[in-house]
């Protein structure tokens, strides 16, 4: 029953998290596109009122005129829209999902003793510390190098690369990818909570006191907002990566993640420049090239010599069923003991079900070695070789 309840919590929180993320990313992308599409106003009275840029939209049967003030308008309207709650709800729901799935089962999801042998308490503390340290170090870099956007960008890029390497040498590959994504998402939401919104409040407060707002708050908010937009596609990949074991199960999974995240940032840069009227096609081309490099690099290698050494004669389902019974059915059965329900609905209770899932077994347990998850049931190399011999001999029943 506990597993069943956990699965429903997973469903509810994940659904809410995705909806909140769509709202936040959509709003963020819109404002980045708007900011980069603004044109200097031709109307002299607009410029005299402090309008630095405007953009006309036609959408949904109506015309919209968006205007941006360099610092602030001469007088505040009665109602201001604050872009903050989509960010906060995305982070809170994401952290709740991370808690339910990973922190409640550290032995299964966080720990791979082939990567680092640690206990569940240490694993949980390390994961939480990773998120906190991610923001602290990033914020320090911004405060020290914030006056030079190019230098700061290089420092943040180097820091993210170091974080990727460290995470992949501390946590199980699947968890490492997610934690790096969660670290970047934490930075994004913290930028909104600690920098962007407080700066905007100070500007509003100054206007209410009939004072001229300090433009530094707008500059800092813009800088952090730019960082957020480049983090977005890398974070989205990290959140989806648990479905693609060929990436996080690779021996150099940290480099694979770095390539794909860089590809996402380059593709995002293309759209940012596109909104400015500049079509730099080398950016998406470079991003696609990096993804292709990752594809070729992660391509499975044949294990036929291993399989032949393990078993010269053809094997049948009955020969490998005990391996699956001891190592896999704790999750992949009609009534699993480690989870509320079988992942992806894959079960190995009968010989027919094993034969139907032969390709999955071979790919996940032999080629990628991503299953059992975190090798929590301690499948041996000899057992993997026997599974390979069975599959390569035709996966006979």
């Amino acid at each position: 029953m506990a597993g069943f309840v956990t699965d429903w919590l997973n469903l509810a929180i994940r659904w809410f998290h995705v909806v909140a993320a769509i709202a936040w990313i959509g709003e963020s992308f819109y404002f980045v596109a708007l900011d980069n599409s603004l044109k200097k106003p031709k109307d002299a009275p607009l410029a005299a009122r402090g309008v630095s840029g405007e953009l006309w939209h036609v959408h949904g049967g109506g015309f919209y005129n968006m205007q941006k003030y360099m610092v602030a308008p001469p007088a505040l309207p009665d109602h201001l829209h604050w872009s903050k709650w989509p960010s906060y709800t995305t982070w809170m729901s994401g952290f709740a999902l991370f808690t339910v799935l990973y922190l409640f089962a550290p032995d299964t999801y966080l720990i791979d003793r082939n990567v680092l042998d640690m206990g569940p308490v240490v694993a949980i503390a390390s994961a939480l510390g990773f998120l906190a340290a991610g923001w602290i170090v990033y914020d320090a870099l911004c405060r020290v190098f914030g006056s030079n956007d190019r230098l700061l960008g290089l420092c943040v890029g180097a820091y993210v690369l170091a974080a990727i390497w460290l995470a992949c040498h501390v946590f199980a590959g699947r968890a490492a990818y997610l934690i790096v994504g969660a670290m970047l998402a934490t930075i994004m939401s913290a930028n909104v909570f600690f920098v962007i919104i407080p700066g905007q409040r100070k500007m509003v407060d100054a206007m209410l006191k009939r004072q001229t707002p300090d433009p530094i708050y707008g500059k800092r908010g813009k800088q952090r907002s730019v960082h957020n937009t480049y983090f977005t596609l890398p974070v989205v990949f990290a959140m989806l990566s648990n479905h693609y074991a060929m990436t996080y199960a690779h021996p150099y999974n940290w480099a694979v993640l770095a390539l794909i995240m860089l590809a996402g940032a380059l593709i995002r840069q293309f759209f940012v420049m596109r909104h400015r009227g500049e079509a730099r096609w080398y950016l998406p081309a470079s991003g696609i090239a990096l993804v292709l490099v990752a594809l070729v690099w992660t391509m499975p290698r044949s294990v036929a010599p291993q399989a032949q050494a393990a078993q010269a004669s053809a094997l049948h389902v009955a020969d490998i069923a005990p391996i699956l019974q001891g190592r896999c059915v704790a999750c992949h059965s009609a009534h699993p003991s480690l989870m509320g329900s079988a992942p992806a609905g894959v079960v190995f209770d009968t010989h027919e079900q094993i034969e139907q899932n032969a390709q999955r077994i071979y790919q996940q347990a032999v080629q990628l070695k991503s299953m059992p998850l975190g090798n929590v049931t301690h499948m041996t190399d000899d057992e993997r070789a026997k599974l390979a011999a069975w599959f390569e001999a035709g996966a006979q029943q």
Side-chain angles (χ1 to χ4, degrees):
M1 181 59 71
F4 175 79
V5 172
T6 300
D7 279 352
W8 270 99
L9 277 174
N10 179 357
L11 168 61
I13 299 172
R14 188 183 297 271
W15 193 2
F16 179 65
H17 177 59
V18 170
V19 171
I22 289 172
W24 183 19
I25 292 172
E27 191 173 66
S28 174
F29 278 17
Y30 172 73
F31 276 107
V32 170
L34 172 64
D35 204 49
N36 284 291
S37 301
L38 294 171
K39 305 298 182 184
K40 189 174 181 179
K42 296 180 180 179
D43 191 351
L46 284 181
R49 281 176 23 218
V51 175
S52 62
E54 66 173 341
L55 178 68
W56 282 89
H57 284 286
V58 58
H59 180 75
F63 292 88
Y64 300 82
N65 181 214
M66 310 299 291
Q67 299 176 351
K68 179 179 178 179
Y69 290 81
M70 181 58 71
V71 178
L76 285 178
D78 293 333
H79 176 73
L80 278 174
H81 172 75
W82 296 81
S83 299
K84 57 181 181 178
W85 286 112
S87 168
Y88 301 161
T89 52
T90 299
W91 188 88
M92 289 187 290
S93 58
F95 184 75
L97 188 62
F98 179 65
T99 300
V100 170
L101 291 182
Y102 284 79
L103 301 188
F104 281 1
D107 283 312
T108 303
Y109 291 104
L110 289 179
I111 300 171
D112 182 348
R113 288 183 168 80
N114 292 320
V115 176
L116 183 64
D117 191 359
M118 57 181 168
V121 174
V122 173
I124 292 171
S126 299
L128 295 175
F130 212 91
L131 302 187
W135 161 250
I136 292 170
V137 175
Y138 163 82
D139 186 57
L141 290 174
C142 289
R143 293 179 184 278
V144 173
F145 302 109
S147 60
N148 188 323
D149 284 334
R150 186 177 297 274
L151 177 59
L152 176 59
L154 291 173
C155 290
V156 170
Y159 171 56
V160 172
L161 180 61
I164 291 172
W165 183 89
L166 181 61
C168 289
H169 285 78
V170 172
F171 303 103
R174 171 174 167 165
Y177 275 34
L178 186 74
I179 288 171
V180 170
M183 182 196 80
L184 294 180
T186 298
I187 290 172
M188 293 170 67
S189 198
N191 274 339
V192 176
F193 186 80
F194 290 113
V195 178
I196 298 173
I197 294 298
Q200 290 174 346
R201 289 195 183 281
K202 289 176 181 178
M203 295 176 74
V204 169
D205 291 342
M207 290 195 63
L208 292 175
K209 296 175 183 176
R210 301 188 180 280
Q211 299 173 352
T212 302
D214 188 341
I216 189 62
Y217 299 118
K219 292 179 180 178
R220 287 174 182 167
K222 175 68 180 296
Q223 186 179 68
R224 301 296 181 103
S225 182
V226 168
H227 291 172
N228 279 4
T229 202
Y230 291 120
F231 286 158
T232 303
L233 296 188
V235 168
V236 170
F237 168 74
M239 297 301 115
L240 298 175
S241 63
N242 64 310
H243 297 289
Y244 306 103
M246 67 279 194
T247 58
Y248 63 74
H250 192 270
Y252 292 95
N253 54 1
W254 65 272
V256 174
L257 179 57
L259 285 174
I260 296 176
M261 284 193 163
L262 178 57
L266 290 172
I267 292 169
R268 183 69 190 121
Q269 171 70 352
F270 167 76
F271 287 101
V272 170
M273 301 307 295
R274 182 77 168 175
H275 296 315
R276 296 178 184 173
E278 302 178 31
R280 300 187 180 183
W281 292 103
Y282 67 87
L283 291 169
S286 300
I288 293 170
L290 290 176
V291 173
L292 291 175
V293 169
L295 183 153
V296 173
W297 198 12
T298 58
M299 195 172 294
R301 302 294 183 263
S302 173
V303 293
Q306 261 187 312
Q308 291 170 1
Q311 189 77 13
S313 59
L315 294 171
H316 298 268
V317 171
D319 298 310
I320 57 94
I323 298 175
L324 303 183
Q325 184 67 35
R327 310 301 187 190
C328 304
V329 298
C331 295
H332 291 285
S333 69
H335 303 287
S337 58
L338 291 181
M339 296 188 175
S341 59
V346 177
V347 296
F348 305 139
D349 291 333
T350 67
H351 286 191
E352 290 76 14
Q353 291 167 339
I354 293 173
E355 186 179 20
Q356 290 169 2
N357 290 287
Q359 179 64 50
R360 286 177 180 265
I361 294 169
Y362 181 68
Q363 181 180 17
Q364 300 295 326
V366 177
Q367 291 186 310
L368 299 176
K369 295 184 178 180
S370 61
M371 292 292 165
L373 194 60
N375 204 18
V376 66
T377 55
H378 309 293
M379 181 179 284
T380 66
D381 289 339
D382 288 343
E383 289 171 334
R384 295 184 195 276
K386 194 170 184 179
L387 292 175
W390 165 69
F391 178 83
E392 293 179 355
Q396 301 178 55
Q397 188 176 8

